[in-house]
Amino acid sequence: MRGRTTRTAWALAGGAAALTLLTATGAHAEGRGDIRVVQTVVNKGGNVIVGTTKKVTFPIALTIKDNSGVKGVSDADTFNTAYGWGFFERAGTSCVKKSHTTSVCTVTMTVDPAWIRQSDDMDSNKLAGVWQVDATVKANDGDYWISDRIAEYKVKRASRLTTDASPEPVAKGAKLTVTGKLSRANWEDLKYHGFTGQDVRLQFKAAGAAHYSTVKTVRTGDAGKLSTKVTATSAGSWRWYFPGTTTTARVVSAGDAVKLK
């Protein structure tokens, strides 16, 4: 669904009263009867990461209950909460009956990065961040429920990170220069650009060790470049680790193994 759809209230048959609720989180819901979305899980609980070329598809799993049984999902939408706009399209919906009263309906969302720029009239990169899910669900007895903001999750720009340590090999006790570059996807031109002003952790794993440890934190400069000097005390691998932000994905570079002379 490219962009948020505006829902119109359904006519209520037989003079039945409509219910309208406003939760503490500001989520709005209205409908008729006892049908409810009791749980919503987006992308199995993970962030949705979008780059510049690869098509992205992810599930939104809705657990729905009604005393007559669940008929299905008639509408589902997801968009950036701050801007009220989105670029994912609904690719399909399937429901699995768990009991007489409960079903899990999975809505599949997808996007090709090439669509993104055409989906809005602003800088599409602004749409990275917190997104929400809205859905309309139906029961077998005619009950329905229109729920806004039943879940929040993050859509992030994909990122890349490189590492290079030199000289190789290095004398024990000598200075080693570790460089790298942090970049992230730009949804406007579908290229990766350097990400400046970000704290990135330099990590080291001694030869034969199982885990990396953080040595220091370095801030990216122009064009997302990283550079620092360390003292080589043992052979091992060096890498950069970026924990990510609300709008940009976490990324870990490949390790660069350095031997001692």
Side-chain angles (χ1 to χ4, degrees), residues 158-205:
S159 55
R160 292 176 175 174
L161 190 55
T162 62
T163 298
D164 182 54
S166 64
E168 300 180 54
V170 64
K172 184 174 182 179
K175 289 295 183 182
L176 186 70
T177 300
V178 185
T179 60
K181 182 178 179 179
L182 174 65
S183 57
R184 62 175 174 170
N186 184 307
W187 294 335
E188 287 288 296
D189 62 10
L190 301 182
K191 297 179 181 179
Y192 280 80
H193 296 269
F195 194 11
T196 64
Q198 302 303 306
D199 289 335
V200 182
R201 302 171 194 172
L202 177 64
Q203 299 183 328
F204 177 71
K205 181 178 70 172

Side-chain angles (χ1 to χ4, degrees), residues 37-66:
V37 177
V38 297
Q39 184 180 43
T40 304
V41 179
V42 180
N43 198 30
K44 299 180 180 179
N47 297 320
V48 177
I49 312 300
V50 182
T52 60
T53 58
K54 186 179 179 181
K55 188 175 182 179
V56 175
T57 301
F58 66 95
I60 301 175
L62 309 172
T63 302
I64 308 165
K65 286 189 176 183
D66 183 84

Side-chain angles (χ1 to χ4, degrees), residues 79-82 127-132 149 152-155 246:
F79 49 88
N80 179 282
T81 297
L127 295 178
V130 180
W131 284 48
Q132 71 183 68
R149 213 165 183 169
E152 289 186 352
Y153 65 104
K154 292 184 178 67
V155 177
T246 300

Side-chain angles (χ1 to χ4, degrees), residues 165 167-176 178 203-209 211 215 230-238 256-261:
E168 300 180 54
V170 64
K172 184 174 182 179
K175 289 295 183 182
L176 186 70
V178 185
Q203 299 183 328
F204 177 71
K205 181 178 70 172
H211 304 288
V215 175
V230 292
T231 301
T233 58
S234 62
S237 297
W238 297 88
D256 188 6
V258 178
K259 296 180 179 180
L260 296 183
K261 291 181 179 179

Side-chain angles (χ1 to χ4, degrees), residues 16 85 102:
W85 195 258
T102 305

Side-chain angles (χ1 to χ4, degrees), residues 202-225:
L202 177 64
Q203 299 183 328
F204 177 71
K205 181 178 70 172
H211 304 288
Y212 280 88
S213 298
T214 297
V215 175
K216 62 167 68 175
T217 298
V218 179
R219 180 157 290 191
T220 55
D222 291 343
K225 293 180 180 178

Side-chain angles (χ1 to χ4, degrees), residues 1-4 78-80 84-88 119-120 127 131:
M1 188 72 66
R2 298 188 194 176
R4 181 178 182 179
T78 183
F79 49 88
N80 179 282
W85 195 258
F87 47 67
F88 292 109
S119 70
D120 58 68
L127 295 178
W131 284 48

